[in-house]
Amino acid sequence: CIAKDGLELFFTSIGNRQSRIYRTSRANVGAPFGLPQLVSAAEGDTVEAPALSPDERSLYFHKREAGAFVIYRLTRP
């Protein structure tokens, strides 16, 4: 999921049978993205599919719980 201005990217990384959501940013659209940071508030071993809300203040993702996927929302100040 990339922000409208192209400066922020959220993605899922899968390794060791765990998935995590990371965030990275860049100074301008011609620059490479910086080192990714774990979105620690998106807790769990099976979090994935980040999506920004239209106003980009909320990040939605889903997590597997008891065999079902549950949708969560994180908000920015």
Side-chain angles (χ1 to χ4, degrees), residues 28-53:
N28 61 65
V29 294
F33 283 100
L35 292 175
Q37 301 290 319
L38 177 66
V39 178
S40 59
E43 299 175 359
D45 294 336
T46 56
V47 296
E48 56 189 10
L52 285 168
S53 63

Side-chain angles (χ1 to χ4, degrees), residues 6 12-14 17 22-24 27 32 39 41-42 48-49 54 56 59-60 62 66-68 74 76:
T12 302
S13 179
I14 300 172
R17 298 181 357 175
Y22 288 85
R23 176 199 171 272
T24 185
V39 178
E48 56 189 10
E56 298 185 346
L59 179 71
Y60 292 88
H62 66 254
L74 299 174
R76 303 185 212 225

Side-chain angles (χ1 to χ4, degrees), residues 4 53 70 77:
K4 293 175 200 172
S53 63
V70 179

